[in-house]
Amino acid sequence: MMRRKIGAGLRGRELRISVAFEATLVEPDGCPVPVQVLDVSSSGFRITCNAELVVDEEVELHLPRASPVRATVCWTRGSEAGGIFLDPAKVA
């Protein structure tokens, strides 16, 4: 897994860590979607996937070695999407 800090110099933006790992996003209807997590911060994430996600939709992100965490989709652009965590992630 590659880690690189990004976004540290941008005003008002939290420190993000560039990552590359597989996870599962569960849509509101319970449908699991395989995703690739591209970066994370303490408050959110950026992913890529083949599903058409909907902005403002509440989803659940299942990260490796962590409890599932609820999130809201904030933006989408092509196959990428970003979200904000509604609960803090708990690493197992």
Side-chain angles (χ1 to χ4, degrees), residues 10-47:
L10 300 175
R11 177 183 274 180
R13 178 173 269 191
E14 271 189 42
L15 178 69
R16 296 176 180 200
I17 299 173
S18 180
V19 296
F21 60 83
E22 303 296 320
T24 301
L25 185 125
V26 179
E27 296 181 298
D29 63 1
C31 183
V33 176
V35 299
Q36 173 97 21
V37 180
L38 303 175
D39 69 47
V40 294
S41 71
S42 62
S43 64
F45 59 90
R46 181 171 58 105
I47 60 171

Side-chain angles (χ1 to χ4, degrees), residues 32-91:
V33 176
V35 299
Q36 173 97 21
V37 180
L38 303 175
D39 69 47
V40 294
S41 71
S42 62
S43 64
F45 59 90
R46 181 171 58 105
I47 60 171
T48 184
C49 68
N50 292 325
E52 287 189 36
L53 301 178
V54 177
V55 172
D56 293 330
E57 199 167 62
E58 189 173 311
V59 295
E60 194 171 79
L61 187 61
H62 294 240
L63 301 166
R65 297 183 308 277
S67 298
V69 62
R70 293 180 317 124
T72 299
V73 177
C74 294
W75 60 268
T76 63
R77 186 179 316 118
S79 64
E80 288 191 12
I84 294 178
F85 295 127
L86 298 175
D87 300 319
K90 295 178 183 162
V91 177

